[in-house]
């Protein structure tokens, strides 16, 4: 039999307290019986019962475990590149507090739910760059995520296709022999300048790369804060950034991927995380461990039964 908790000073203290209290109880009961010129024979039975159920309670507190069984544990991993749009439109406030700040919060939430997976970070506007290569280091990844801002990249505009192609090339590397499942997660408002090449969609489907697109923003859109005031174009017109969900849904369909919404009214990131976790991964580790089960309830049940029996048995001190 194994124990989940060691026998420590707490258990010794309760045993000492029980012995001290019960000695006082025995002395008091015998003294009263002598004064009444009678006996307390039932005392021996109650002493026996109380000692047993007290011992059973102590055993149940220690968490006895027995009946070992072997259980196979498998770890399935994926390689995931997260693509983050850092174009100026991600500063729009139609998603509170801004589109980018909401994305950073949700990506951190996403990373915390990926324990067996390698995650990389690609940032893009008109050009795309690998900010963090594939890594298991979630703490370092979260630091880079917190540093994201639209001023991080030197160029403006949005090129989702270029960022997706970069992620595809990094994932489908000829030197990668692990055969791990490949996934691309995109956070963007969809304001793309041009359509993606059909060959990119074909290659993504051919190599089974999973694509998950989180559309950030609203169709009504909002202005873009810039240096404390709304951004205006060259003709001094107010710039309104709107979600281009048509392009993103077309991209999701063309890659056999999934489309999700992220705004103040609807947040489907949890659904995305669930579907990514449930997607087939590649076996990266398998081992057999010995599992034991805490069987405290057997001892606790027996102690409670004896406790009830103890309550029903009374000590008579009067003789008629």
């Amino acid at each position: 039999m194994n124990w989940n908790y060691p026998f420590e000073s707490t258990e010794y203290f309760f045993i000492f307290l029980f012995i001290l209290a019960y000695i006082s109880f025995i002395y008091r009961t015998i003294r009263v019986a002598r004064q009444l010129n009678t006996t307390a024979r039932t005392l021996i039975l109650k002493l026996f019962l109380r000692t047993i159920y007290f011992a059973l309670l102590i055993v149940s507190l220690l968490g006895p475990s027995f009946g070992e069984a072997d259980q196979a544990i498998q770890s399935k991993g994926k390689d995931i590149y997260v693509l983050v749009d850092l174009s100026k439109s991600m500063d729009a406030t139609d998603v509170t507090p801004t589109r980018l700040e909401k994305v950073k919060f949700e990506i951190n939430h996403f990373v915390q739910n990926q324990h067996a997976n390698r995650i990389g970070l690609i940032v893009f506007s008109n050009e795309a760059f690998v900010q963090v290569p594939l890594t298991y280091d979630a703490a370092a990844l979260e630091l880079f995520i917190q540093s994201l801002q639209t001023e991080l990249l030197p160029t403006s505009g949005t090129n989702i296709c270029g960022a997706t192609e970069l992620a595809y090339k990094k994932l489908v590397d000829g030197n990668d022999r692990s055969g791990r499942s490949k996934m691309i997660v995109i956070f963007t408002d969809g304001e793309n300048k041009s359509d993606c090449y059909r060959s990119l969609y074909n290659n993504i489907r051919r190599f089974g790369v999973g694509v998950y697109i989180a559309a950030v923003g609203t169709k009504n859109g909002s202005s873009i804060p810039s240096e404390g005031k709304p951004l205006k174009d060259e003709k001094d017109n107010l710039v309104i950034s709107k979600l281009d969900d048509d392009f993103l849904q077309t991209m999701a369909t063309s890659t056999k991927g999934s489309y999700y919404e992220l705004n103040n009214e609807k947040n489907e990131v949890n659904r995305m995380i669930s579907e990514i976790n449930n997607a087939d991964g590649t076996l990266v580790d398998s081992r057999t461990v010995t599992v034991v089960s805490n069987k405290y309830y057997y001892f606790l049940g027996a102690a409670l039964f004896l406790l009830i029996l103890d309550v029903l048995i009374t000590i008579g001190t009067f003789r008629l």
Side-chain angles (χ1 to χ4, degrees):
M1 182 182 294
N2 298 315
W3 307 94
N4 292 339
Y5 308 100
F7 205 85
E8 296 180 343
S9 57
T10 302
E11 286 73 28
Y12 287 115
F13 171 75
F14 279 114
I15 292 174
F16 172 76
L17 195 64
F18 171 79
I19 294 174
L20 183 64
Y22 210 80
I23 289 176
S24 301
F25 170 74
I26 293 174
Y27 172 76
R28 179 177 177 277
T29 304
I30 293 177
R31 186 167 62 88
V32 170
R34 286 180 177 177
Q35 289 176 352
L36 297 175
N37 195 25
T38 185
T39 61
R41 295 171 183 161
T42 318
L43 181 65
I44 298 176
L45 177 59
K46 293 181 76 67
L47 174 63
F48 178 72
L49 285 175
R50 291 176 180 178
T51 302
I52 292 179
Y53 70 66
F54 179 77
L56 290 173
L57 288 173
I58 292 294
V59 170
S60 65
L61 286 174
L62 295 177
S65 301
F66 51 87
E68 297 181 351
D70 291 336
Q71 181 175 339
I73 297 180
Q74 295 181 342
S75 177
K76 293 186 177 182
K78 310 175 183 77
D79 284 346
I80 304 172
Y81 260 111
V82 178
L83 280 54
V84 183
D85 187 350
L86 292 186
S87 60
K88 190 61 179 176
S89 61
M90 292 297 287
D91 284 333
T93 56
D94 55 346
V95 179
T96 307
T98 67
R99 293 175 183 174
L100 182 57
E101 289 301 319
K102 182 64 173 177
V103 165
K104 289 161 63 174
F105 175 82
E106 294 299 342
I107 294 177
N108 273 325
H109 176 52
F110 172 78
V111 170
Q112 292 168 5
N113 284 272
Q114 308 299 317
H115 304 295
N117 302 330
R118 293 193 302 176
I119 302 177
L121 183 65
I122 291 178
V123 295
F124 69 94
S125 57
N126 197 40
E127 298 180 11
F129 303 90
V130 176
Q131 182 81 346
V132 182
L134 292 171
T135 180
Y136 289 110
D137 193 344
L141 190 60
E142 290 176 4
L143 289 176
F144 278 100
I145 292 170
Q146 289 303 318
S147 68
L148 295 179
Q149 53 185 340
T150 55
E151 292 80 11
L152 191 63
L153 299 183
T155 58
S156 60
T158 307
N159 187 356
I160 302 173
C161 302
T164 305
E165 186 170 3
L166 176 61
Y168 162 76
K169 289 180 179 178
K170 292 295 182 180
L171 289 170
V172 186
D173 185 353
N175 297 324
D176 181 13
R177 306 298 181 187
S178 65
R180 295 166 63 95
S181 299
K182 319 292 185 183
M183 296 181 178
I184 298 174
V185 179
I186 306 173
F187 288 88
T188 180
D189 54 27
E191 291 187 332
N192 195 50
K193 285 188 174 181
S194 59
D195 293 331
C196 301
Y197 291 114
R198 189 172 297 275
S199 59
L200 175 61
Y201 295 150
N202 292 337
N203 287 333
I204 287 176
R205 293 196 304 266
R206 174 188 173 191
F207 287 95
V209 179
V211 176
Y212 301 83
I213 302 174
V216 188
T218 62
K219 292 183 179 181
N220 293 330
S222 72
S223 60
I224 304 172
S226 179
E227 298 179 354
K229 57 184 179 180
L231 181 66
K232 295 183 178 181
D233 60 16
E234 297 176 353
K235 297 181 180 180
D236 204 33
N237 295 321
L238 188 65
V239 175
I240 301 296
S241 174
K242 299 180 180 181
L243 171 68
D244 189 352
D245 58 338
D246 290 336
F247 170 76
L248 296 179
Q249 288 181 358
T250 299
M251 187 177 184
T253 302
S254 300
T255 57
K256 292 186 178 180
S258 301
Y259 175 87
Y260 309 90
E261 293 183 25
L262 177 57
N263 51 59
N264 291 337
E265 302 297 328
K266 196 172 185 179
N267 187 341
E268 296 183 316
V269 172
N270 284 333
R271 182 168 68 88
M272 180 181 72
I273 293 173
S274 177
E275 292 181 3
I276 290 175
N277 290 340
N278 292 332
D280 291 336
T282 302
L283 183 65
V284 294
D285 186 25
S286 178
R287 64 187 65 185
T288 301
V289 296
T290 301
V291 180
V292 294
S293 177
N294 189 347
K295 301 297 177 58
Y296 74 93
Y297 43 85
Y298 291 135
F299 299 90
L300 181 60
L304 292 176
F305 173 77
L306 294 178
L307 178 61
I308 294 173
L309 192 62
D310 178 32
V311 173
L312 296 177
I313 298 175
T314 59
I315 297 178
T317 55
F318 291 93
R319 180 177 298 173
L320 298 178

